[in-house]
Amino acid sequence: MARPEQVLLLEPQHELKFRGPFTDVVTTTLKLANPTDRNVCFKVKTTAPRRYCVRPNSGVIDAGTSINVSVMLQPFDYDPNEKSKHKFMVQSLIAPPDMTDMEGVWKEAKPEELMDSKLRCVFEMPIENEKTHDIDSNKMMSSSLLKSESSTMSMKSMVSSLDDGEVKRIMEECKRLQMEVQRLREENKQIREDDGLRMRKSPLMAAQQSSSSSVTVKEEGLSIRVIALIVLFFVIGVIVGKLLL
């Protein structure tokens, strides 16, 4: 047997809308009106009782009057891609004239005496919040792009300035150092040849003195050579380091 038509008038009739942000309790009002000439018992049920607080969730609506039911959604992490599956049901029945125990009336009620209406829950995020979220996202993306472009431009500028001025100067310095090293080599070679001639012509003592002088000159020549090589390697290291940065 089909259930009788709902006698209560619901406002809203089909949807309970909750507007975010959902970081705090969000309350919406469900109005129940009794247009009949008899008292009507009602109950408000939900498929997600832990997520909502309903006050009052049951009672009696006198003939020709209405009542406002507060439905309070508890805070939660809102996901715009997740559709709400929560539903509410308003169940009612005509109260007997001599009713003293409402719970007893519900327990003894027959299925054909029960009336119900169903509503679904809808979550809405304010447009301002969505725009703010989009603006923040765009700002973050723009900031990242600007930083990337700035980094790229600074690298290009550094390489450009290095190519224009410093590379030429450093290359000229390298050539000069190479020429200096070559000159030192030739001088060192000439000193060794001169020492050999003096050693063949001079007595043994003179040869020893010449040998000692030659060693000193050689050490000086080698020291200059080592210093020049160190400077050369340092300059090359500076070039490579700047190019890598």
Side-chain angles (χ1 to χ4, degrees):
M1 182 177 178
R3 288 189 177 187
E5 187 178 353
Q6 176 70 268
V7 295
L8 296 178
L9 301 178
L10 279 64
E11 185 181 346
Q13 295 182 355
H14 306 292
E15 295 180 344
L16 287 176
K17 295 184 178 181
F18 298 87
R19 291 182 63 82
F22 302 100
T23 54
D24 201 354
V25 176
V26 180
T27 303
T28 189
T29 301
L30 172 62
K31 182 179 179 180
L32 304 178
N34 178 11
T36 69
D37 56 357
R38 298 181 61 181
N39 294 346
V40 176
C41 300
F42 76 92
K43 281 186 176 181
V44 180
K45 301 179 180 181
T46 177
T47 57
R50 294 184 179 180
R51 299 286 294 275
Y52 299 88
C53 182
V54 182
R55 293 291 183 272
N57 58 2
S58 63
V60 178
I61 305 176
D62 295 334
T65 64
S66 62
I67 188 172
N68 289 328
V69 177
S70 296
V71 183
M72 292 164 278
L73 172 64
Q74 303 306 303
F76 72 104
D77 294 330
Y78 174 69
D79 183 359
N81 297 321
E82 181 181 354
K83 293 183 179 180
S84 173
K85 297 180 181 179
H86 302 166
K87 293 181 180 179
F88 274 81
M89 181 175 70
V90 178
Q91 200 170 40
S92 63
L93 62 83
I94 302 297
D98 55 349
M99 183 185 69
T100 57
D101 181 12
M102 187 174 65
E103 290 300 323
V105 172
W106 282 106
K107 289 179 181 179
E108 296 174 0
K110 299 177 181 180
E112 60 270 18
E113 296 177 341
L114 299 176
M115 299 165 283
D116 60 62
S117 300
K118 295 180 180 179
L119 303 93
R120 69 186 187 94
C121 298
V122 177
F123 300 151
E124 296 180 345
M125 184 64 74
I127 298 177
E128 291 78 7
N129 286 11
E130 293 179 355
K131 286 183 178 179
T132 302
H133 178 72
D134 293 340
I135 291 172
D136 291 341
S137 299
N138 292 335
K139 284 183 178 179
M140 290 178 64
M141 291 178 64
S142 299
S143 177
S144 299
L145 289 173
L146 286 174
K147 287 181 179 178
S148 177
E149 291 177 359
S150 177
S151 177
T152 303
M153 290 178 65
S154 63
M155 289 181 66
K156 289 181 177 180
S157 177
M158 189 186 340
V159 172
S160 177
S161 62
L162 188 62
D163 289 342
D164 293 341
E166 294 188 12
V167 169
K168 291 182 179 180
R169 183 178 60 80
I170 293 173
M171 292 301 295
E172 290 176 358
E173 186 68 17
C174 288
K175 290 180 180 180
R176 189 184 66 78
L177 290 173
Q178 288 175 355
M179 293 175 63
E180 184 67 21
V181 170
Q182 184 64 28
R183 186 181 64 80
L184 291 173
R185 286 177 180 174
E186 292 176 355
E187 289 182 359
N188 193 29
K189 182 179 178 182
Q190 185 64 38
I191 290 171
R192 285 199 299 269
E193 292 176 355
D194 294 343
D195 288 343
L197 292 174
R198 283 196 295 270
M199 287 177 65
R200 287 194 294 270
K201 294 180 179 179
S202 302
L204 180 59
M205 186 62 69
Q208 290 179 352
Q209 291 178 354
S210 177
S211 176
S212 176
S213 176
S214 174
V215 170
T216 303
V217 173
K218 286 180 180 178
E219 289 178 352
E220 292 177 354
L222 289 174
S223 298
I224 295 173
R225 181 181 179 184
V226 169
I227 293 172
L229 289 174
I230 290 173
V231 173
L232 177 61
F233 290 146
F234 174 76
V235 173
I236 293 174
V238 169
I239 296 173
V240 174
K242 288 190 174 183
L243 291 177
L244 290 177
L245 290 175

